[in-house]
Amino acid sequence: MADSKFRRELGQQLRVDSVRAAATAGSGHPTSSMSAADLMAVLLDGHLRLDYEHPHDPHNDHLIFSKGHASPLYYSMLKAAGAIDEAEFATYRQFGSRLEGHPTPRIPPTDVATGSLGQGLPVGVGIAWAGRNLDRLPYRVWVLCGDSEMAEGSIWEAFEHAAHYRLDNLTVIVDVNRLGQTTETMLGWDVETYAERARAFGWHAVVVDGHDVDAIDAAYAAAESTADRPTVLFAKTKKGKGVKAVEDLPGKHGKPLDDPEAAIAELGGQRDLAVQVAKPDVADEAHVFAVDGGELPTWEVGENVATRLAYGQALAALGSIRGDVVALDGEVSNSTHSELFAQAHPERYVEMYIAEQQMIAAAVGMQARGWVAYASTFAAFFSRAYDFIRMAAISRADLRLSGSHAGVSIGPDGPSQMALEDLAAFRAVHGSTVLHPSDANQTAQLVAEMADRPGISYLRTLRGKTQVRTRPDEKVFVGGSRVLRSSEDDHVTLVACGVTVDEAYKAAELLAAVGIRARVIDCYSIKPVDAMTLLTAAAETHSVVTVEDHWPEGGLGDAVLEALAAFSPVTVRKLAVREMPGSGTPEELLEAAGIDAKAIAAEARELLAERHAPVG
Amino acid sequence: MADSKFRRELGQQLRVDSVRAAATAGSGHPTSSMSAADLMAVLLDGHLRLDYEHPHDPHNDHLIFSKGHASPLYYSMLKAAGAIDEAEFATYRQFGSRLEGHPTPRIPPTDVATGSLGQGLPVGVGIAWAGRNLDRLPYRVWVLCGDSEMAEGSIWEAFEHAAHYRLDNLTVIVDVNRLGQTTETMLGWDVETYAERARAFGWHAVVVDGHDVDAIDAAYAAAESTADRPTVLFAKTKKGKGVKAVEDLPGKHGKPLDDPEAAIAELGGQRDLAVQVAKPDVADEAHVFAVDGGELPTWEVGENVATRLAYGQALAALGSIRGDVVALDGEVSNSTHSELFAQAHPERYVEMYIAEQQMIAAAVGMQARGWVAYASTFAAFFSRAYDFIRMAAISRADLRLSGSHAGVSIGPDGPSQMALEDLAAFRAVHGSTVLHPSDANQTAQLVAEMADRPGISYLRTLRGKTQVRTRPDEKVFVGGSRVLRSSEDDHVTLVACGVTVDEAYKAAELLAAVGIRARVIDCYSIKPVDAMTLLTAAAETHSVVTVEDHWPEGGLGDAVLEALAAFSPVTVRKLAVREMPGSGTPEELLEAAGIDAKAIAAEARELLAERHAPVG
């Protein structure tokens, strides 16, 4: 039998260290950490199998802090496991530190960023699905959830999918400390009702005293020996456990303790216990899918093909070329045509049903294990998962998303089915790529290029057929564009993407009939945009019309305006946040982003110097 | 006892009419309508209390088609109830028709647009909450859900909140027809498991044969007589019921029947039954909250106040001035400071816990009943509800949203808590207003102006304190801006909003020290933007630096670039979708949006004519 006393001591150490971390930082969530300390002590000492010296070993278990604000606890565990030292531990929440206010993959072995509640569990479902069906390794996924986040619908999407796919390698630990940020949760300490809900969703549910290390140990063992269904522990705990000044009291959320020294004394003082975390079994190699090769599909110029169909055909072909490609769809695979991939590679396709948040989260989980995940649904319905996409960027995730049925060109279904904001929303995702091909040959090449593209890549496809104008051997690439029609003395440039390329081409013919020569640019890469081609066209024609099946804000037109701003006699410089921020003081972060007074003044001086304006 | 035979006949009529509607339109979802026809026949004849001649009567029951694709059924009910005639019925999905592919409020008494699954029920929770706690009228809210949408997490947010708030005036009818678009649902016809889930969430759950009109009648009666908890019916049905060519068959989703004439014959032919839908009891008037008046708060210039605190104080004051103001928060009311409203007006505050989708949906439901709803959370977490905000615009909803803790200026919590895409996302919502005040006096005036502003208004507030620069008596308004500093011969213009206004002001002082005169514009209204002030400044200084605590895409910088594009020697015209589309053919909708070939050619000609370029 494991040493209960050691585990209790380790729990106290994790509490003390959580108190210390928040006190040093001057912010953070120590009380939300203290409630889960015993749960994590037992996990670390006896159940987790994770080689912290080799955090990327594919055999490792995964631990996700869905309640990311309990980062003091998470980093205290890393210290106890020897993954970070005391010096780094002391940098919590400081500028430049890997130990941000909420965990991110900057600090291994963290798989994903958390901090927007209700996301860690759905990501865990994705990793568990990969473990069972892709990697085919016996690693377990452990997810620590808060009870407040049980109110997020995404949690119940995860509950349903994990049971449906019988993910017995997934264990969820819910820290039921009863108290949210401002008030008691809807269920308080009613752990039995939580358990009933989980059972109704098909889970093995266990209720446990979250401060009884032996009971916790038994519950983890029960989870490990349960087959065919995931296990959830609803652990009754006290927020701020162990320190009377905060224990189980409202109004103590998200701030350091008033008297950390006294609290540490009450917890028995600082300790320096080291845990030998169990290493994983490395007997088996991760599964590799055999592929039979092949080539991307091409189409003849003049054919009429929907780009969504080209997406499906290209993805299916890519799956034959690469064994690491996986596809997910939100129960519209016959619309997005990811069904072609599903038919060709059924073992690498996951049906996510109508649960877009879970779909994105699962893709994030799979890519954390190195799989090249493509997820598709109607373009409009990615808006359902926008917070997950935002967080995926913070997770430094590589995702490939394909949204079909974009814009008014879908026709009779009406505006609920028409993505008209997707280009803007995806452009405003850090590090994203935004593509909107106009024909099948473009689509296939871009689908292939997305596979190795870092960050969030978004491909917008069309419901209706469009004419293939791009030759099969013509190079199409991220950041490129295609000039359909031009002459040396064009009067005007028409810039279009997707369905409006056809319209722009027809417009050029209408204009030609009245003696106006129009250049037509197919701007299939919207972020990054092909500024050089646009600038050349603008310099030669002085007149540009952009046309897009999208609201006026944030899409093609704005991308073109930005590229062409270089021409204006009014020089405009945009200062904004261009790199992913971390933690720090507001002043440090404004400075690092280059949007503080000094940066503004420097930019203004440089701009004026370049203009040769009178300067002091 | 009601006439069972009439109800069965009415159900058949609704089926026949659903088949006819889709056949005439050439698209639509007849089979998804046919499964629910008996459920709706019994509702219409005997349970719904809705005066279709006075669709906006506050005493009316509400009927929401959460499965909005069953619009053929919905419009067939309107016809049977006499709300529309056969001629209008025949316009289903045609360009200009009020009978769009998915219902919208264009056709009364429809409260909200549906068509993005999993949204109708959460909106229904908002209306039911309003009925019980605001209007205090005995109307009921009936929501028809599909079984596929049970996979959306937002459904379970609604289940939890409706039970928590004991909304016994809410009845949900789930049409368990087993078949989704491409495959069987996760639970198929396992209605008992659905019911267990609902019961675990605190609901009165009934399992019923969805084609047995007497059983349905009894179930509705049970719902009507159940106190203190909402009721859900899980009705086992057959998709395409009544027509062998499609009944309970896969692959029959979302398309007209192959042989509508034969189907109509099989259903017993066309009928012309009229239903006398019961009128509501109009004895009581809707509740009105007494208010004691007062004034908006003001602050002295030079004070340091967080704009989020100003939001809370202004909202609380507004609640004393107007009895129609209601506030919702996602369990962060001590951060957003909506707690000040909650303390002052507890009867008009709703705690939505950490369920942002349900929060927005509830606000949409309340505004459908005429309440002026303000919803707040961290700015970053509105991204969780982006699809709901998108749909709210299609619902023509008036919403006021306040997002706190924007940008890197929040400091140590890290990027998961930093909204850096919110301005872009909200600008790309149709008809939206986007505001980002830099001080408390601006905030209070904008909060008040939002109350009567149509559409989705978004106010971004700051975590940290900023200096009050706006005088209490200075006019602040949507579309305005504020010049902090200027002279007749400025060298450069600095355009800022929110926290960067302080930085820009300090930058101007740094520049002044080296003899550079900088104009500083506080661009607190980002959509609409104050183009005139920007153009004047640009014309006078020729040099502009924009600075924002936001990603570079889609925010302040892009709004300014668009305003200043007028100066460029390269004339750029942006064609995009500027009015809310309806249904129609792709060609009609491209033309109506002004993004088809003809519109492009016309724009190019006009542009060239204005430039006096050589034209043919």
Side-chain angles (χ1 to χ4, degrees):
Chain A
M1 168 120 196
D3 184 343
S4 304
K5 184 164 174 295
F6 176 80
R7 289 171 172 178
R8 278 190 287 269
E9 279 295 297
L10 180 59
Q12 290 296 79
Q13 170 171 316
L14 297 176
R15 285 190 178 91
V16 168
D17 287 349
S18 295
V19 170
R20 289 169 57 219
T24 308
S27 67
H29 299 75
T31 59
S32 306
S33 297
M34 293 157 81
S35 56
D38 300 313
L39 292 162
M40 290 300 101
V42 179
L43 183 68
L44 212 50
D45 178 47
H47 295 276
L48 188 68
R49 299 170 70 88
L50 202 166
D51 184 349
Y52 279 97
E53 287 176 31
H54 300 96
H56 300 298
D57 188 314
H59 304 86
N60 279 336
D61 277 5
H62 297 264
L63 171 60
I64 301 176
F65 262 47
S66 196
K67 53 177 289 185
H69 56 289
S71 57
L73 174 60
Y74 185 67
Y75 302 136
S76 298
M77 293 171 72
L78 291 186
K79 187 169 74 71
I84 58 172
D85 59 19
E86 175 69 28
E88 182 165 16
F89 184 70
T91 66
Y92 176 52
R93 285 178 169 247
Q94 288 181 18
F95 182 74
S97 172
R98 299 189 297 175
L99 310 185
E100 298 187 17
H102 295 74
T104 78
R106 287 182 63 207
I107 176 76
T110 313
D111 293 294
V112 289
T114 50
S116 180
L117 290 170
Q119 299 205 17
L121 173 53
V123 170
V125 169
I127 299 178
W129 199 93
R132 195 181 156 114
N133 301 297
L134 301 173
D135 290 323
R136 303 183 187 175
L137 288 174
Y139 59 72
R140 296 192 72 76
V141 181
W142 304 87
V143 181
L144 177 67
C145 286
D147 51 348
S148 284
E149 65 181 315
M150 294 293 115
E152 287 284 10
S154 54
I155 289 288
W156 299 99
E157 294 182 14
F159 265 88
E160 177 147 35
H161 284 74
H164 181 71
Y165 286 113
R166 302 184 173 281
L167 301 179
D168 54 17
N169 54 345
L170 173 66
T171 305
V172 175
I173 305 151
V174 185
D175 175 18
V176 186
N177 66 23
R178 181 180 81 80
L179 295 171
Q181 175 171 327
T182 67
T183 186
E184 191 174 25
T185 61
M186 285 182 269
L187 286 185
W189 269 332
D190 183 0
V191 284
E192 285 301 341
T193 294
Y194 281 122
E196 274 173 42
R197 292 181 186 178
R199 286 177 197 128
F201 273 78
W203 284 52
H204 172 223
V206 182
V207 163
V208 71
D209 174 348
H211 301 307
D212 178 339
V213 296
D214 297 326
I216 295 165
D217 186 54
Y220 290 163
E224 286 156 344
S225 63
T226 297
D228 272 342
R229 56 181 59 199
T231 295
V232 56
L233 277 68
F234 290 103
K236 190 173 163 183
T237 63
K238 288 185 178 171
K239 197 162 177 170
K241 166 75 176 174
V243 175
K244 286 208 172 52
V246 295
E247 186 177 294
D248 193 32
L249 292 177
K252 304 297 180 187
H253 181 90
K255 48 190 170 193
L257 271 57
D258 289 335
D259 189 345
E261 290 310 316
I264 292 165
E266 188 178 346
L267 291 164
Q270 204 171 321
R271 292 158 180 83
D272 193 20
L273 303 174
V275 195
Q276 297 302 320
V277 178
K279 301 264 193 295
D281 178 358
V282 296
D284 296 317
E285 290 296 306
H287 179 73
V288 174
F289 288 91
V291 289
D292 47 12
E295 297 201 343
L296 288 177
T298 56
W299 292 263
E300 294 306 310
V301 169
E303 281 190 75
N304 285 298
V305 185
T307 54
R308 61 183 170 124
L309 180 62
Y311 169 76
Q313 294 186 321
L315 189 62
L318 194 65
S320 297
I321 298 167
R322 302 173 57 133
D324 57 357
V325 171
V326 182
L328 308 89
D329 199 283
E331 227 285 69
V332 288
S333 61
N334 59 344
S335 291
T336 62
H337 289 298
S338 68
E339 66 178 1
L340 299 175
F341 183 96
Q343 288 155 9
H345 314 288
E347 291 180 292
R348 286 184 273 149
Y349 174 82
V350 205
E351 179 54 63
M352 298 311 295
Y353 300 92
I354 305 179
E356 296 80 8
Q357 297 185 110
Q358 176 59 76
M359 178 173 73
I360 296 296
V364 170
M366 290 170 188
Q367 66 83 42
R369 278 293 312 118
W371 297 94
V372 176
Y374 284 74
S376 49
T377 182
F378 280 28
F381 301 144
F382 279 120
S383 63
R384 194 59 156 268
Y386 193 47
D387 192 21
F388 284 73
I389 295 165
R390 176 183 77 90
M391 288 296 297
I394 302 176
S395 292
R396 282 70 171 170
D398 302 327
L399 289 187
R400 300 93 197 155
L401 308 178
S402 176
S404 69
H405 292 69
V408 303
S409 74
I410 68 161
D413 272 333
S416 64
Q417 318 294 302
M418 297 171 178
L420 287 164
E421 60 294 305
D422 56 328
L423 299 178
F426 275 103
R427 278 183 74 231
V429 170
H430 180 63
S432 66
T433 301
V434 180
L435 306 167
H436 188 18
S438 69
D439 74 15
N441 281 332
Q442 289 180 4
T443 304
Q445 290 197 45
L446 294 172
V447 167
E449 190 175 353
M450 287 163 82
D452 295 313
R453 182 103 187 139
I456 316 294
S457 298
Y458 173 64
L459 180 89
R460 187 193 220 215
T461 67
L462 297 168
R463 175 177 177 275
K465 293 177 182 179
T466 52
Q467 191 182 327
V468 174
R469 298 183 190 280
T470 309
R471 293 187 316 276
D473 62 345
E474 208 176 319
K475 181 78 188 140
V476 174
F477 55 95
V478 172
S481 70
R482 189 169 179 275
V483 180
L484 275 76
R485 182 180 175 122
S486 70
S487 73
E488 283 183 12
D489 52 357
D490 288 328
H491 299 115
V492 62
T493 302
L494 310 179
V495 185
C497 58
V499 73
T500 60
V501 170
D502 266 341
E503 299 299 324
Y505 191 84
K506 284 184 267 176
E509 292 184 333
L510 293 174
L511 290 167
V514 293
I516 298 176
R517 285 179 297 279
R519 182 170 306 181
V520 181
I521 299 177
D522 179 348
C523 197
Y524 58 75
S525 180
I526 294 165
K527 180 184 174 187
V529 77
D530 184 357
M532 195 54 67
T533 298
L534 293 169
L535 286 167
T536 303
E540 291 176 9
T541 66
H542 310 290
S543 299
V544 176
V545 176
T546 68
V547 54
E548 62 197 304
D549 194 355
H550 186 271
W551 300 127
E553 298 86 5
L556 174 69
D558 280 0
V560 171
L561 275 180
E562 168 145 37
L564 299 186
F567 278 112
S568 178
V570 177
T571 313
V572 181
R573 296 283 172 79
K574 272 168 63 174
L575 297 180
V577 183
R578 291 177 191 271
E579 299 299 329
M580 182 61 73
S583 291
T585 65
E587 296 72 25
E588 285 167 338
L589 293 171
L590 289 169
E591 183 185 4
I595 58 172
D596 67 346
K598 231 172 87 184
I600 300 167
E603 187 76 21
R605 291 187 72 172
E606 191 184 297
L607 185 165
L608 291 173
E610 285 178 21
R611 291 187 66 94
H612 310 294
V615 297
Chain B
M1 169 117 197
D3 184 344
S4 304
K5 184 165 174 296
F6 176 80
R7 289 171 173 180
R8 277 189 288 270
E9 279 296 296
L10 180 58
Q12 291 296 79
Q13 171 172 314
L14 297 176
R15 284 190 179 91
V16 167
D17 286 350
S18 295
V19 169
R20 290 170 55 221
T24 308
S27 67
H29 298 76
T31 58
S32 306
S33 297
M34 293 156 82
S35 55
D38 300 313
L39 293 162
M40 291 300 100
V42 179
L43 183 68
L44 211 51
D45 177 48
H47 295 275
L48 188 69
R49 299 170 69 88
L50 202 166
D51 184 351
Y52 280 97
E53 288 176 30
H54 300 95
H56 300 298
D57 188 313
H59 304 87
N60 278 338
D61 278 3
H62 296 263
L63 171 60
I64 300 176
F65 262 46
S66 196
K67 53 177 290 187
H69 56 288
S71 57
L73 174 61
Y74 185 68
Y75 301 137
S76 297
M77 292 171 72
L78 291 186
K79 186 169 76 69
I84 58 173
D85 59 19
E86 176 68 28
E88 181 165 17
F89 184 70
T91 66
Y92 176 52
R93 286 180 167 245
Q94 288 181 16
F95 182 74
S97 171
R98 299 190 297 175
L99 310 185
E100 299 187 16
H102 294 76
T104 77
R106 288 182 61 206
I107 175 76
T110 314
D111 293 295
V112 291
T114 50
S116 179
L117 290 169
Q119 298 205 19
L121 173 53
V123 169
V125 169
I127 299 178
W129 199 92
R132 195 181 156 113
N133 300 296
L134 300 173
D135 291 323
R136 302 182 186 177
L137 288 174
Y139 58 73
R140 297 192 69 77
V141 181
W142 305 86
V143 180
L144 177 67
C145 287
D147 50 348
S148 283
E149 64 181 317
M150 294 291 115
E152 287 284 11
S154 54
I155 289 289
W156 298 99
E157 294 182 15
F159 265 88
E160 177 147 34
H161 283 75
H164 181 70
Y165 287 113
R166 302 183 172 283
L167 302 179
D168 54 18
N169 54 345
L170 173 66
T171 305
V172 175
I173 305 150
V174 185
D175 175 19
V176 186
N177 67 22
R178 182 180 79 83
L179 294 171
Q181 174 171 328
T182 67
T183 185
E184 191 175 25
T185 62
M186 285 182 269
L187 285 184
W189 268 332
D190 183 1
V191 284
E192 285 301 340
T193 294
Y194 281 121
E196 272 175 42
R197 291 182 185 178
R199 287 176 197 129
F201 273 78
W203 284 53
H204 173 224
V206 182
V207 163
V208 71
D209 174 348
H211 301 308
D212 177 339
V213 295
D214 297 325
I216 296 165
D217 187 53
Y220 291 161
E224 287 155 344
S225 64
T226 297
D228 272 342
R229 56 182 58 201
T231 295
V232 55
L233 277 69
F234 291 102
K236 190 173 163 182
T237 63
K238 287 184 178 172
K239 199 161 176 171
K241 167 75 176 174
V243 175
K244 284 210 173 53
V246 294
E247 186 177 293
D248 193 33
L249 292 176
K252 304 297 180 188
H253 181 90
K255 48 191 172 193
L257 272 55
D258 289 336
D259 189 346
E261 290 309 317
I264 292 164
E266 188 177 346
L267 290 164
Q270 204 170 321
R271 294 158 178 81
D272 193 21
L273 303 174
V275 195
Q276 297 302 319
V277 178
K279 300 265 194 295
D281 177 358
V282 297
D284 297 315
E285 290 296 306
H287 179 73
V288 174
F289 289 90
V291 289
D292 46 13
E295 297 201 342
L296 288 177
T298 57
W299 292 264
E300 293 306 311
V301 169
E303 281 189 76
N304 284 296
V305 185
T307 54
R308 61 184 169 125
L309 180 61
Y311 170 74
Q313 294 186 322
L315 188 62
L318 194 65
S320 297
I321 297 167
R322 302 172 59 131
D324 57 356
V325 171
V326 182
L328 309 90
D329 198 282
E331 226 285 70
V332 288
S333 62
N334 59 345
S335 291
T336 62
H337 289 298
S338 68
E339 65 177 2
L340 299 175
F341 183 96
Q343 288 155 10
H345 315 289
E347 291 179 294
R348 286 184 273 148
Y349 174 81
V350 205
E351 179 55 63
M352 299 310 295
Y353 300 92
I354 306 179
E356 295 80 9
Q357 297 184 112
Q358 175 59 75
M359 179 172 74
I360 296 296
V364 170
M366 290 171 188
Q367 67 82 43
R369 278 292 312 119
W371 297 94
V372 177
Y374 285 74
S376 48
T377 182
F378 280 29
F381 302 142
F382 279 120
S383 62
R384 194 61 155 266
Y386 193 47
D387 192 21
F388 284 73
I389 295 165
R390 176 183 80 88
M391 288 296 297
I394 302 175
S395 291
R396 282 71 170 171
D398 303 327
L399 288 187
R400 300 92 198 155
L401 308 179
S402 175
S404 69
H405 292 70
V408 303
S409 75
I410 67 161
D413 271 333
S416 63
Q417 318 294 301
M418 296 170 178
L420 287 164
E421 60 294 304
D422 56 328
L423 300 177
F426 275 104
R427 278 182 74 229
V429 170
H430 180 64
S432 66
T433 301
V434 180
L435 307 168
H436 189 19
S438 68
D439 74 15
N441 281 332
Q442 289 180 4
T443 305
Q445 290 197 45
L446 295 172
V447 167
E449 191 174 352
M450 287 163 82
D452 295 314
R453 182 104 187 139
I456 316 294
S457 297
Y458 173 63
L459 180 88
R460 186 194 220 215
T461 67
L462 297 168
R463 174 177 177 274
K465 293 177 181 178
T466 52
Q467 192 182 326
V468 175
R469 298 182 188 280
T470 310
R471 293 187 317 276
D473 62 344
E474 209 175 318
K475 181 79 187 142
V476 174
F477 55 97
V478 171
S481 70
R482 188 168 179 275
V483 180
L484 276 75
R485 182 180 174 124
S486 69
S487 73
E488 284 184 10
D489 52 358
D490 289 326
H491 299 116
V492 62
T493 301
L494 310 179
V495 185
C497 58
V499 72
T500 59
V501 171
D502 266 341
E503 299 299 324
Y505 191 84
K506 285 184 267 176
E509 292 184 334
L510 292 174
L511 291 167
V514 293
I516 298 175
R517 285 179 297 278
R519 182 170 305 183
V520 180
I521 298 177
D522 180 348
C523 196
Y524 58 76
S525 181
I526 295 166
K527 181 183 175 188
V529 78
D530 184 356
M532 196 52 69
T533 297
L534 293 170
L535 286 167
T536 304
E540 291 177 8
T541 67
H542 309 291
S543 299
V544 176
V545 176
T546 69
V547 54
E548 63 196 302
D549 194 355
H550 186 272
W551 299 127
E553 298 85 6
L556 174 69
D558 281 0
V560 171
L561 275 180
E562 168 145 36
L564 299 187
F567 278 111
S568 178
V570 177
T571 312
V572 181
R573 295 282 172 80
K574 272 167 63 172
L575 297 181
V577 183
R578 291 176 190 273
E579 300 298 329
M580 183 59 72
S583 291
T585 65
E587 295 72 25
E588 287 167 337
L589 293 171
L590 290 169
E591 182 184 5
I595 58 171
D596 68 345
K598 228 172 88 184
I600 300 167
E603 188 75 22
R605 292 188 71 171
E606 192 184 296
L607 185 165
L608 291 172
E610 285 178 21
R611 292 188 64 96
H612 309 295
V615 298

